[in-house]
Amino acid sequence: MAATAVATTTLLCPALLDTAFAAPANGAPKVSFTADPLSTWQTNGIVWALASTGNVVYVGGTFDTVRPPGAAPGEKEVRRRNFAAFDATTGALLPCAPSFTGDTATVRALKASPDGRVLYAGGSFDRVGTTGAASAVALNTADCSLRKEFHPTVSATVRAIATTDRAVYLGGDFHLVSGHTRNRIAALSPQGALLPFAADIDAPVRAMSVVPARGRIYVGGDFERINGRRAHSLAALNSTTGATAHSYPHWLPPGSAVKSIAYDATRFYVGAEGRGPGIFDGRIAGRLSDDTLLWRDDCAGATQVVLAYRGVLYSASHAHDCSGTPGGFPERNDRQHLLAQSPDNRTILHWFPDTNEGIGEDLGPRALTVERGVLWVGGEFTKVNDRPQQGLTRFAAGPDTTAPQVPALSLATTSPGKATIRWQASWDRDDASLTYRLYRDGRLVSQQHKSSTYWHRPWMSYTDVVPAGTRHTYRLEATDGTNTSPKSASLSVAVPTETNARTGSAE
């Protein structure tokens, strides 16, 4: 065995190296969450809506029961009819549990009032607990009781809710609210009185986001016309009157519909889903001050929700081709269901927790909310990071608990006094740059750093200089700086002598 060795580093397959990987530039925003899911309760159906206030996360959807973390379907189930509430910090199930029922009962929209005292719920239901209802109600968050004064009669499904101090906006499939014509959008006072606000929209509203400082409500959905004029899938309305303030005629192609709208201090964001050739499935950013289009990404994969939080745009979709987006991935057999992007330039950031597509329409996650620094995700998935978890999951700032995958070593070449060991880079869901430590006979001989993603794992190598005619054992580990993988299986290498090198034999 060799006592002292001189080493050099060689990279194999240069065509596969970092030219294919676009890491975020210096100064890119920092993702607030690890990719490791926290222990979370589950539902036995689809979660369509999430809302949060006062350390409580409210969950609405189409489900009959919830069950504890780790429980399989049918085990330890607790009755919850289309609505449940959880402690935002601990994740514990709370007793707030009014049942939303009816022939095709479902909760599709949840939104808290700005002061957090009221939770508004919409969907398709005709009873909440023992009280009759018509697709929209309000709950007092202090004690989970129904607000009796808020009792509108909505003629069809409510799919979106937005709130201000003075108004509660409903959007959906309906034509009548409390006996008055309101075509797919309406506004009520917090006490439940129908307001004069009115807009004539020709197809369902699926997304709304109100910006009080601008006196506007952004509206998205399946529609083609608002107030008698063309407005394909996206428009801004005067939040008092309902008059069209702005339309966006070239932002979305035919066949694409807006599913979600969010905003931050300077921008508003749109998530779209499309059907047919030439559609748009990705995200759009516009400037609030003048409605200028800032960017569009062209990821394919039916975006269901967007959420702006601490300088990062989070989204839920089933993205499968983001090759035209900075930091994005090519078309593959698999899909990525959660993404984080820079709001400045749409760059996809290295944060890749994932779900499967699950039940229902096979789209995976459908709702996002953040409370007490924890990101909650709801949808129709049945797995998270390849492990069973249905309907709900959540992510916090830490701890980061998952190590990179264990790399496998192979022998590239040997020559008298030299052995070149190679391996394919591993990858980690929330750390792009990993460190690889190679051990010869238990002693560290190489430490290298390399950036990688699940779709681009470059080959790496190390050329070890050792005495000819010796035999050595190599092992490798990968670390993200916090978690270290187990060491790889041992690779035994016989380094040839001058004689057997000339004859081409190997020991």
Side-chain angles (χ1 to χ4, degrees):
M1 305 291 285
T4 303
V6 179
T8 60
T9 299
T10 304
L11 285 175
L12 301 181
C13 306
L16 296 178
L17 297 183
D18 285 355
T19 55
F21 173 71
N26 291 336
K30 180 178 174 58
V31 176
S32 294
F33 316 103
T34 74
D36 299 321
L38 299 175
S39 177
T40 310
W41 279 69
Q42 307 170 77
T43 65
N44 73 338
I46 298 172
V47 172
W48 296 103
L50 296 170
S52 57
T53 186
N55 199 36
V56 178
V57 172
Y58 300 94
V59 177
T62 310
F63 53 85
D64 297 314
T65 64
V66 297
R67 62 185 187 274
E75 294 181 353
K76 302 179 183 178
E77 292 186 328
V78 179
R79 191 72 164 171
R80 290 292 189 271
R81 295 295 300 276
N82 303 313
F83 181 89
F86 300 89
D87 185 290
T89 302
T90 67
L93 180 66
L94 298 177
C96 177
S99 295
F100 287 72
T101 56
D103 289 341
T104 57
T106 183
V107 174
R108 294 295 182 112
L110 295 170
K111 187 70 175 181
S113 61
D115 62 10
R117 295 181 179 180
V118 182
L119 176 73
Y120 297 95
S124 176
F125 47 84
D126 56 31
R127 188 167 294 275
V128 179
T130 60
T131 303
S135 296
V137 297
L139 301 174
N140 295 301
T141 57
D143 60 5
C144 201
S145 63
L146 279 174
R147 289 178 68 90
K148 295 181 180 179
E149 65 271 28
F150 191 89
H151 197 71
T153 301
V154 186
S155 64
T157 303
V158 172
R159 300 184 181 275
I161 300 175
T163 61
T164 68
D165 292 334
R166 298 183 178 182
V168 180
Y169 298 89
L170 308 179
D173 303 357
F174 51 84
H175 295 284
L176 294 172
V177 176
S178 298
H180 296 268
T181 299
R182 291 293 188 272
N183 285 322
R184 300 180 177 94
I185 193 168
L188 299 99
S189 73
Q191 293 73 38
L194 189 65
L195 297 177
F197 173 98
D200 184 20
I201 303 180
D202 69 348
V205 168
R206 297 183 179 273
M208 297 191 301
S209 191
V210 62
V211 185
R214 297 208 68 214
R216 285 186 173 187
I217 180 167
Y218 291 85
V219 180
D222 301 334
F223 49 81
E224 296 294 336
R225 300 182 71 82
I226 294 182
N227 296 327
R229 296 186 177 182
R230 179 167 172 74
H232 171 57
S233 198
L234 178 66
L237 308 178
N238 181 290
S239 59
T240 300
T241 67
T244 303
H246 199 85
S247 60
Y248 306 86
H250 304 298
W251 283 28
L252 294 133
S256 293
V258 170
K259 301 297 292 289
S260 180
I261 304 172
Y263 71 94
D264 58 22
T266 60
R267 306 176 184 92
F268 67 99
Y269 306 96
V270 175
E273 173 183 310
R275 298 180 184 274
I279 53 84
F280 176 77
D281 268 347
R283 275 76 56 195
I284 296 173
R287 189 157 47 222
L288 282 171
S289 61
D290 60 7
D291 295 297
T292 299
L293 177 67
L294 297 176
W295 54 256
R296 296 189 345 158
D297 76 47
D298 60 357
C299 289
T303 302
Q304 301 301 302
V305 60
V306 290
L307 171 70
Y309 180 72
R310 291 189 175 180
V312 172
L313 180 67
Y314 298 90
S315 61
S317 65
H318 61 169
H320 55 92
D321 184 358
C322 291
S323 55
T325 300
F329 40 86
E331 183 71 79
R332 291 166 49 96
N333 291 329
D334 52 6
R335 298 181 177 189
Q336 177 64 38
H337 297 85
L338 295 168
L339 292 176
Q341 290 178 272
S342 167
D344 293 331
N345 57 20
R346 69 194 172 100
T347 296
I348 293 176
L349 306 176
H350 193 101
W351 181 75
F352 298 112
D354 202 15
T355 74
N356 67 349
E357 301 198 342
I359 59 178
E361 298 179 23
D362 296 333
L363 289 174
R366 289 188 173 269
L368 303 173
T369 194
V370 177
E371 181 68 16
R372 297 298 195 269
V374 176
L375 173 68
W376 288 68
V377 182
E380 55 194 7
F381 51 85
T382 58
K383 289 184 178 181
V384 176
N385 290 357
D386 301 320
R387 296 183 178 181
Q389 177 69 29
Q390 185 172 0
L392 280 173
T393 189
R394 58 197 180 112
F395 302 92
D400 181 356
T401 59
T402 302
Q405 296 175 337
V406 182
L409 287 178
S410 62
L411 177 63
T413 62
T414 58
S415 60
K418 292 183 180 180
T420 298
I421 312 300
R422 78 169 190 163
W423 62 94
Q424 190 175 16
S426 184
W427 76 281
D428 186 87
R429 292 184 183 274
D430 48 23
D431 294 286
S433 181
L434 302 178
T435 299
Y436 299 86
R437 295 193 284 251
L438 181 68
Y439 296 86
R440 182 212 322 122
D441 306 324
R443 179 182 177 185
L444 180 66
V445 293
S446 172
Q447 180 167 286
Q448 300 181 40
H449 309 281
K450 180 61 63 178
S451 291
S452 59
T453 64
Y454 68 87
W455 68 92
H456 175 65
R457 296 170 56 200
W459 285 93
M460 304 174 66
S461 72
Y462 176 77
T463 298
D464 199 12
V465 178
V466 292
T470 57
R471 181 179 293 274
H472 304 277
T473 297
Y474 295 89
R475 300 184 75 184
L476 183 73
E477 65 186 12
T479 180
D480 61 11
T482 302
N483 306 285
T484 301
S485 72
K487 287 187 173 66
S488 68
S490 297
L491 176 68
S492 181
V493 176
V495 182
T497 64
E498 293 287 347
T499 300
N500 61 32
R502 285 195 300 270
T503 62
S505 63
E507 295 183 0

